């Protein structure tokens, strides 16, 4: 089975929730998509977030569109929405910070439709112990089950998410702080 890998970096300025693996950030969070599973990748003609959503089944498109609107409402100024690594991503564009280790924009938030669920990638929760604890507490207070990998919250419907807490987490890291932390981690 062949896999395609994309490197997602998280760089907010807080204490790490996870240790930096393999000499700093070189392989921090790796998202893999099976190349032989077309259901997990957008069609090749999809070039924009709107096209990505339009390519989804109606029920999934509504869910992804609603979460996208939430992210756009709360994302701090300076991040750019784009299609990156087969997901809708909010990144630090290369025009604002071109000196990345892999010559790709620095990934902050991502949203995708997988075969059996949707994924919301919150890089702040991967690196910030306090942000991760706040998210866990918000899920618990709302009576919702948190299904989370290192930075990926998996959900099937909007009702699975405490939307206010997610919006707050997304809005909590200004671009300048994210860049400063990236520079700090890159030195190590």
């Amino acid at each position: 089975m062949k896999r395609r890998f994309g490197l997602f970096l998280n760089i907010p300025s807080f204490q790490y929730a996870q240790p930096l693996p393999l000499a700093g950030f070189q392989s921090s969070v790796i998202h893999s998509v099976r190349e032989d599973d077309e259901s997990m990748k957008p069609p090749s003609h999809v070039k924009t977030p709107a096209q990505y959503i339009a390519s989804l089944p109606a029920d999934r498109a509504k869910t992804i569109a609603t979460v996208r609107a939430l992210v756009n409402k709360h994302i701090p100024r300076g991040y750019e929405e784009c299609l990156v690594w087969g997901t809708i991503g909010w990144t630090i564009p290369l025009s604002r910070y071109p000196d990345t280790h892999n010559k790709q924009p620095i990934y902050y938030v991502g949203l995708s439709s997988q075969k059996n669920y949707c994924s919301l990638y919150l890089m702040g929760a991967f690196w910030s112990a306090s942000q991760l604890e706040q998210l866990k507490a918000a899920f618990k207070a709302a009576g919702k089950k948190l299904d989370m990998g290192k930075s990926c919250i998996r959900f099937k419907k909007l009702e699975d998410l405490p939307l206010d807490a997610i919006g707050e987490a997304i809005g909590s890291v200004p671009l300048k702080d994210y860049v400063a932390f990236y520079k700090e981690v890159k030195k190590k």
Side-chain angles (χ1 to χ4, degrees):
M1 166 177 28
K2 292 173 92 179
R3 292 187 181 265
R4 179 185 74 207
F5 295 96
L7 186 61
F8 293 158
L9 294 177
N10 167 39
I11 325 295
S13 58
F14 349 90
Q15 176 184 358
Y16 305 138
Q18 307 287 328
L20 290 175
L22 295 180
F25 55 86
Q26 294 297 325
S27 67
S28 55
V29 179
I30 297 178
H31 170 71
S32 65
V33 175
R34 288 181 45 187
E35 288 190 359
D36 60 340
D37 187 349
E38 294 303 314
S39 68
M40 296 177 68
K41 296 189 298 188
S44 60
H45 71 279
V46 171
K47 305 291 184 213
T48 68
Q51 289 174 342
Y52 179 90
I53 292 170
S55 75
L56 300 173
D59 60 331
R60 189 64 68 89
K62 183 178 178 186
T63 300
I64 293 292
T66 303
V67 176
R68 177 186 178 214
L70 174 83
V71 175
N72 282 328
K73 178 180 177 183
H74 293 280
I75 195 92
R77 284 186 315 142
Y79 293 98
E80 183 176 276
E81 181 184 29
C82 57
L83 218 57
V84 60
W85 296 302
T87 70
I88 299 172
W90 288 263
T91 65
I92 298 173
L94 291 172
S95 62
R96 293 194 71 139
Y97 189 78
D99 189 26
T100 65
H101 78 286
N102 63 356
K103 307 299 181 225
Q104 297 295 316
I106 303 169
Y107 200 82
Y108 176 58
V109 174
L111 178 62
S112 69
S113 175
Q114 302 295 335
K115 185 175 183 177
N116 296 312
Y117 55 87
C118 299
S119 297
L120 178 63
Y121 301 90
L122 298 177
M123 300 308 170
F126 176 71
W127 292 97
S128 167
S130 64
Q131 192 177 100
L132 179 60
E133 290 309 312
Q134 288 172 358
L135 275 174
K136 286 180 179 179
F139 271 86
K140 186 175 182 178
K144 300 176 187 296
K145 180 182 178 233
L146 175 60
D147 181 3
M148 185 173 190
K150 288 183 178 181
S151 69
C152 168
I153 297 174
R154 292 174 287 272
F155 63 99
K156 292 188 178 189
K157 54 191 183 308
L158 286 175
E159 294 77 24
D160 295 340
L161 301 173
L163 297 175
D164 291 340
I166 288 172
E168 187 176 311
I170 289 166
S172 69
V173 184
L175 184 130
K176 64 180 177 50
D177 293 350
Y178 204 63
V179 169
F181 190 71
Y182 179 86
K183 288 177 181 178
E184 180 183 316
V185 171
K186 191 174 174 185
K187 289 178 191 177
K188 294 180 183 185

